[in-house]
Amino acid sequence: MDTWLMILIVLAVLIAILLINGFRNMRNVKALSEDEFKQNMRKVQLVDLREKEKFEHGHIIGARNIPIMNFSIKMNSLRKDKPIYLYDQTGRLSIRAAKMLKKKGYTDVYMLKNGINKWTGKIKSKNK
């Protein structure tokens, strides 16, 4: 019985840590719905964080591909005076990229809530 209680306590602590960490990461970026994301897309720096193959398979029109693996090196090419809209497959990479940007002094950073998986807008593909 004591073993189960210890296991439950450890699990509760781990879940609490994960939740707190998730909320702290979300402070780095404002998640936008698809409609909010579409509103200003032409006035922002639109960045697709997925690998090149996935980007070429289909990406949001006007997006520039900076894979997360190269992001820390290539993010300096982004302007600090213009909003940055990030997206990836699910939204997880966008949080990581936003955290990196915030550390470098970028302030106007947004992400597509739920990533391109839920995107219903137009997509550009090299296959078409």
Side-chain angles (χ1 to χ4, degrees):
M1 192 75 148
D2 289 337
T3 310
W4 283 109
L5 184 59
M6 287 300 291
I7 291 171
L8 285 175
I9 291 170
V10 169
L11 281 174
V13 169
L14 286 173
I15 290 170
I17 289 170
L18 289 172
L19 285 173
I20 290 167
N21 202 20
F23 288 124
R24 285 170 67 210
N25 283 337
M26 287 306 290
R27 282 193 324 222
N28 294 310
V29 60
K30 183 177 187 315
L32 301 176
S33 68
E34 182 174 334
D35 289 338
E36 292 170 313
F37 201 82
K38 285 178 181 175
Q39 280 177 0
N40 296 311
M41 259 184 5
R42 288 193 170 91
K43 302 173 189 167
V44 304
Q45 300 170 91
L46 183 57
V47 179
D48 185 320
L49 298 164
R50 299 172 302 152
E51 293 303 313
K52 186 178 181 185
E53 301 79 41
K54 291 211 177 207
F55 177 80
E56 288 177 352
H57 182 71
H59 60 272
I60 297 172
I61 296 169
R64 148 183 191 192
N65 187 219
I66 306 177
I68 194 70
M69 297 299 284
N70 307 330
F71 194 74
S72 60
I73 298 163
K74 295 190 175 187
M75 70 181 185
N76 295 328
S77 65
L78 296 169
R79 294 172 44 181
K80 288 186 178 178
D81 63 338
K82 201 171 179 187
I84 300 170
Y85 277 27
L86 304 168
Y87 75 90
D88 59 88
Q89 206 68 38
T90 62
R92 282 206 156 111
L93 298 178
S94 297
I95 293 170
R96 277 181 44 202
K99 201 172 188 177
M100 287 187 243
L101 288 167
K102 292 287 183 165
K103 282 183 181 175
K104 293 287 184 185
Y106 292 84
T107 55
D108 216 359
V109 181
Y110 304 88
M111 67 175 263
L112 177 60
K113 190 178 197 173
N114 301 319
I116 197 169
N117 276 348
K118 305 287 184 189
W119 184 258
T120 60
K122 290 183 180 177
I123 285 184
K124 182 176 183 178
S125 172
K126 283 216 170 175
N127 302 339
K128 293 180 180 177

